[in-house]
Structure formats: C-alpha cells, structure tokens
C-alpha cells in the first residue's frame, strides 16, 4: 500500500472513531496496522513478528514484570530487579529490551523501567494466565507443525482413531485429557477464561433479549421455558441474564454433561434448573423461547455441529423459538486479527473452526435454520447469531 494513502486512511478513521469502541474503532486499528505494514520493509515486518512472545513469557516467568509493577510507578533498575528475582542483571536487560519495544513496559533509561497500564494488566492472574497458556502450549505445537503438515497434509478435522490433530501429535493425548493431567496449565486456562471477555458487553446486551423475546413469551403456560443454556458449564451466562432481568418470565434451564452437573451436588443456582444433557441426543426441552450456545460450535467440525444443532432445531417451535449462537462471525473478506488468530488456534488445539458469515449460513441452512440477524457492533469480537426455523 502507498504510504501517503495509509496515512490518510488513519486520519480519516481517527476522525470517525469518536468513542474508542464499536466498529469504527476496529477500522481505526486496521488502518493503523496497514500504516505500519506500509512503512516497514518486508524484512522488518518478519523480524517484528518473531520473538516478542518469548521475551514476554520469560519476563513473566522470571518475575521481572511483577517486580516492576510492585515499584508502584517508580523507576526500577535491572540491578534492583536482579536482586529481587535472583536472575542475572544482563539477562534481565536483554529480555526487557524486547519487552519494552512491544509497549508492554516503559523503558525509562538505560536498564531502567517503569510500569504502565499494560504492565499492570499483563501481570494480573487472568492475562498472565493467557500469556502462559498460549505460549507454553502453542510453541511446542508450532515447533512440530511443519513436520506434521509434511506427513499428513494437515488434518483440519481428523477422523479418529486413524488421524491425529496437531495437538495430539505433540502432546500424545487429547485437549481435555491434557488439562486433567496438568493442573498448572488448567489453572492458567481457567484464569484466562474468567477474564477473556472482561469489559465487553454481555451476550444479552448485544442481543436485546428483553425487547426481542420476552414480549412474545408464552405466559399462558406456567411451565413455559424462556431460555435454555446448552453446554452452559457453571451457568454464569444464565446468572448474568437473571441478574440483569430479575423479572423476566419463564423457566431458565442449564444443560451440561454429568461431569459438570454433578459438581452442583443437587444445589442449583437460585431460579435456575440444572439438567444433565448430552447435545448429541434429542433435546428434551421442547418449544423454549430461546436456546443459547456459547463457544460450542467452534469446538466441532460441521458434521458434528449439524448433528447437535439439528437436535435443537427439532425441539424448536416454528415462528416462536429462536436459536442464539454466541461466537465469532468472521467477515467473508478482511477478517480482523483477533478472530483470524482464534481460528488458527482452534485448528491447532482442538480441530475446531471459527466460521465466516457464509459458513454459518450454510451450516444453519443444513439444519433447517436461517439467520434472522447477527447482533453486535464489532467484527473483531464474538457476536450473537439469532436464527429461526425456515418458514
């Protein structure tokens, strides 16, 4: 891209982005990215992409960033960090040289550092867990990817047991088996999942449940179900909805496998019914106003999704029930980095996929469903797909 045009695009996008949120902010970030690419030589682009993650991971593991944050905004030297952590001063300086270049921490002088907002964020359990989760698990897989691709032509959706995913070829066990056997990595993952959407609008704000589905709810039947959270884990999404709309009518049902529902010990969250259910079997709750799936479909190839989504479709009432899917909806072209990266990660970790708008239309259509609307004002985050039975 021409550098002058890239600069003009940034200026135009900056004028449009008044709030720092929404799709206009996504477009500003993309314009800035294109400006960086226009200014860099190809060699500079490749160099920028190689080593930052390793430096940040080492700075977290060594406690360098925690020590800088503990200085509470004051400048701290590499020598002081060395005394606090037991690592060599020169090693700290060499690692922090790259860390400060990324913008994670401020370089206040020669071998001098100061915490900024990004530093304080990256040492929190959730975001530190995310760095450790992605680095510790993806880099071993990444080291094997070329040989894996040469040997297999890359199994995006492996046929078991003959074929293995990149994850299985690296760790010699399945995704969830690995976490059951590695408590530290399970904690990193759980900490990250707990904050991954922090600061973002909840699904029932993105999709205005109160105005879209509550008004048409069947109040004549005292047993009528308003919302079923399929594969809902601990029920955080139902509880969030319940807290926001305490007067919403109808039953709220949380469904998951026995390994999850047994953890409740017969004590369900107040106002929520817990039901043991495998979504590969017929859906027992018929005619609910809405069935909600959050980050379920991206774990599965189309073949499996068609099976469990069809089970839900068969339980829906035409003209009344809605299917709500809370996932990425990638643009057919020009997909932002966040969703594209997540798609690559899903492919390597659990043979999953983040789908484009066209792929969602094809998948749902094969289940007798059609998209009513995709709700959300940012294409770089998850959105809520509202679908109904084809009339």
């Amino acid at each position: 891209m021409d550098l002058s045009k890239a600069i003009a695009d940034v200026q135009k996008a900056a004028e449009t982005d008044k709030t720092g949120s929404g799709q206009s902010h996504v477009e500003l970030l993309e314009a800035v990215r294109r400006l960086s690419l226009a200014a860099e030589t190809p060699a500079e682009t490749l160099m920028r992409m190689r080593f930052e993650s390793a430096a940040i991971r080492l700075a977290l593991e060594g406690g360098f960033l925690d020590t800088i944050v503990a200085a509470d905004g004051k400048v701290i030297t590499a020598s002081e960090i060395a005394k606090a952590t037991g690592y060599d001063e020169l090693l700290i300086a060499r690692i922090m040289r790259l860390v400060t270049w990324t913008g994670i921490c401020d370089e206040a002088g020669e071998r001098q550092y100061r915490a900024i907002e990004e530093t304080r964020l990256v040492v929190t359990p959730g975001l530190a867990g995310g760095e450790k989760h992605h680095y510790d698990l993806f880099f071993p897989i990444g080291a094997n990817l070329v040989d894996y691709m040469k040997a297999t032509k890359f199994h995006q959706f492996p046929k078991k047991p003959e074929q293995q995913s990149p994850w299985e070829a690296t760790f010699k066990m399945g995704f969830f088996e690995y976490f059951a056997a590695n408590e530290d990595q399970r904690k990193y993952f759980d900490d990250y999942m707990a904050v991954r959407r922090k600061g973002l609008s909840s699904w029932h704000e993105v999709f205005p449940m109160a105005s879209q589905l509550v008004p048409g709810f069947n109040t004549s039947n005292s047993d009528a179900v308003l919302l079923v959270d399929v594969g809902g884990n601990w029920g955080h999404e139902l509880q969030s909805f319940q807290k926001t709309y305490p007067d919403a009518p109808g039953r709220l049902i949380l469904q998951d496998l026995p390994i999850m529902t047994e953890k409740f010990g017969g004590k369900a969250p107040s106002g929520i019914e817990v039901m043991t259910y495998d979504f590969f079997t017929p859906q027992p709750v018929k005619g609910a106003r809405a069935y909600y799936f959050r980050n379920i479909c991206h774990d599965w190839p189309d073949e499996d999704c068609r099976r469990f989504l069809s089970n839900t479709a068969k339980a829906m009432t035409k003209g009344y029930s809605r299917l709500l899917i809370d996932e990425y909806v990638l643009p057919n072209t020009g997909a932002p980095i966040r969703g594209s990266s997540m798609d690559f990660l899903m492919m390597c970790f659990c043979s999953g996929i983040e789908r484009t708008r066209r792929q969602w239309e094809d998948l749902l259509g094969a289940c007798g469903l059609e998209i009513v609307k995709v709700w959300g004002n940012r294409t770089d985050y998850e959105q809520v797909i509202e679908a109904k039975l084809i009339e």
Side-chain angles (χ1 to χ4, degrees), residues 217-233:
F217 179 68
N218 179 17
T219 56
S220 63
N221 182 356
S222 60
D223 289 329
V225 176
L226 176 65
L227 182 61
V228 182
D229 186 354
V230 184
N233 203 269

Side-chain angles (χ1 to χ4, degrees), residues 162-175:
E162 296 83 6
Q163 299 175 347
Q164 288 186 316
S165 67
W167 175 284
E168 292 163 335
T170 302
F171 296 113
K172 311 306 179 187
M173 63 179 74
F175 186 77

Side-chain angles (χ1 to χ4, degrees), residues 237-309:
E237 301 307 317
L238 276 182
Q239 292 177 66
S240 173
F241 172 78
Q242 186 183 49
K243 182 178 179 180
T244 305
Y245 303 108
D247 297 325
R251 296 160 60 196
L252 303 178
I253 297 178
L254 170 65
Q255 295 180 328
D256 215 314
L257 295 170
I259 192 173
M260 186 64 234
T261 58
E262 289 170 359
K263 294 180 180 180
F264 288 98
K267 297 180 180 179
S270 178
I272 295 174
E273 301 172 42
V274 176
M275 178 184 295
T276 297
Y277 172 60
D278 178 349
F279 52 56
F280 283 107
T281 64
Q283 171 60 256
V285 180
K286 310 297 184 184
R289 186 68 165 128
Y291 300 84
Y292 174 74
F293 287 74
R294 178 186 176 188
N295 288 347
I296 301 293
C297 296
H298 76 166
D299 288 335
W300 302 91
D302 283 4
E303 179 181 356
D304 289 314
C305 286
R306 284 193 293 268
R307 287 175 57 201
F308 63 73
L309 291 177

Side-chain angles (χ1 to χ4, degrees), residues 133-149 151-152 154-155 158 160 163-175 177-178 182 344-345 347-351:
H133 167 72
H134 290 118
Y135 182 87
D136 295 0
L137 301 181
F138 183 76
F139 270 65
I141 293 173
N144 289 332
L145 274 181
V146 173
D147 288 341
Y148 174 82
M149 190 169 189
T152 68
F154 212 114
H155 301 307
K160 305 298 177 64
Q163 299 175 347
Q164 288 186 316
S165 67
W167 175 284
E168 292 163 335
T170 302
F171 296 113
K172 311 306 179 187
M173 63 179 74
F175 186 77
E177 291 176 274
Y178 178 89
N182 293 271
F344 192 81
L345 188 72
M347 178 174 67
C348 293
F349 275 27
C350 48
S351 304

